[in-house]
Amino acid sequence: MKIAVAGVGYVGLAQAVLLAQRHEVTAVTTTPAKADKINGGVSPIVDREISEYLGKGLKLRASTQAELAYKNAELIIIATPTDYDPERNIFNTSTVEFVLDLVGRVNPDALVVIKSTVPVGYSESIVGKFACKRLLFSPEFLREGKALYDNLHPSRIVVGRPKGGMATKEDAELFASLLTEGALDKDIPVLFTNSTEAEAIKLFANTYLAVRVSYFNELDTYCELRGLNTRQIIDGVCLDPRIGAHYNNPSFGYGGYCLPKDTKQLVANFGSIPNKIISASVAANDERKDHIARMIMSRAGGGVIGIYRLTMKAGSDNFRESSIRGVIARLRSAGASVVIFEPTLKSDEFDGIPVVADLDEFKRRSDLIVANRMEPCLSDSADKVYTRDLYFRD
């Protein structure tokens, strides 16, 4: 089968690699450098499994020639970024619509699957607006740095058809079969829904994770201010099998590509529908960063505060929505002197803050080191590290 995938981020590239094990796949990007890397067997994103699979003779090529790729494809997967627009309180779906418009002009009969995260009700709302006749929505459930792994070992597969659309049950079953065919696990739960239900599954799932992160962060705030051993309490709580010991490691707040924008979008989707927990998760995340900044300022004593890494977690190259950036903003507002160690940056400053490239120099210059996640390279400076990482994992 000839497949085109629009977008080579975590979602798009993981999908392309998964399907290219058995099918001819063209990964479409607007960045020539990324296309060159993929065609040279090098992953443009940090993902160990993707890097390994790119060297396994996949039927995969990357291209910047979108029109040609879509024209020749039987299946087109849209995995372009949909950032949250805080002024409009909605995902910016312009990248999705750009692809839909082009596909509608060059290949209206192709099966089109939206993988990008969209507002609840979006797919149904665009039925008839573009010439694409067969449209599906299928949410992704991936972790940064583990995108291909989570495609190879999926927790579930969800495929939704918009009401009023022309995509058939057979179309949905075909796409689900392609995903299960490429996975390593067998007996994967597959759920067929309408597209609005599929969109809601995605947002409610991520918001639950955000609520869980916020819960354990608030537990940690309580313990830190009361002088209690947070780990003892979390261990005792999580031994209840109904709760479990996952997503329980305190942090500076939830962040990354999905949780911040997905929670805000779900709050916006609620509109006038009564809710407390969903909207509280957003407020709780802001309050957590307020608390962390206060604790850092109280410990810094006017000295230089060193920020160890802008990324959310080990193995990630994303710091666009990292919680530490919110903490930094609060520290700067309080007049703190800040330096940053972030080896992925090629500049000597970030948002006007000095970036120290050498780790040893960073340690020497920092009177207090702030680390969302503790790493072994900080062990020799542990006495001046502030972190809430209790389990040394994400």
Side-chain angles (χ1 to χ4, degrees), residues 18-39:
L18 179 83
L19 297 171
Q21 295 176 92
R22 293 175 174 82
H23 301 275
E24 186 178 326
V25 179
T26 301
V28 179
T29 175
T30 58
T31 309
K34 290 183 179 180
D36 291 342
K37 279 190 172 183
I38 294 168
N39 290 331

Side-chain angles (χ1 to χ4, degrees), residues 309-325:
R309 305 301 306 270
L310 295 173
T311 52
M312 280 299 302
K313 54 187 179 181
S316 172
D317 60 350
N318 168 46
F319 49 81
R320 182 178 58 185
E321 290 287 346
S322 63
S323 58
I324 189 63
R325 292 187 63 180

Side-chain angles (χ1 to χ4, degrees), residues 1-72:
M1 189 174 194
K2 291 187 176 182
I3 302 169
V5 179
V8 294
Y10 283 104
V11 178
L13 190 53
Q15 285 277 290
V17 170
L18 179 83
L19 297 171
Q21 295 176 92
R22 293 175 174 82
H23 301 275
E24 186 178 326
V25 179
T26 301
V28 179
T29 175
T30 58
T31 309
K34 290 183 179 180
D36 291 342
K37 279 190 172 183
I38 294 168
N39 290 331
V42 178
S43 174
I45 59 176
V46 177
D47 189 294
R48 188 183 68 183
E49 282 77 16
I50 287 179
S51 297
E52 291 175 354
Y53 271 70
L54 281 176
K56 290 186 175 181
L58 301 171
K59 299 176 182 179
L60 173 65
R61 59 180 290 272
S63 174
T64 57
Q65 298 181 32
E67 183 172 335
L68 181 61
Y70 302 151
K71 186 175 182 178
N72 293 331

Side-chain angles (χ1 to χ4, degrees), residues 25 54 74 86 164 186 194 226 262 266 271 327 334 337:
V25 179
L54 281 176
E74 301 164 78
K186 306 302 176 187
N194 66 49
R226 290 296 179 91
D262 290 5
L266 188 55
V327 173
S337 177

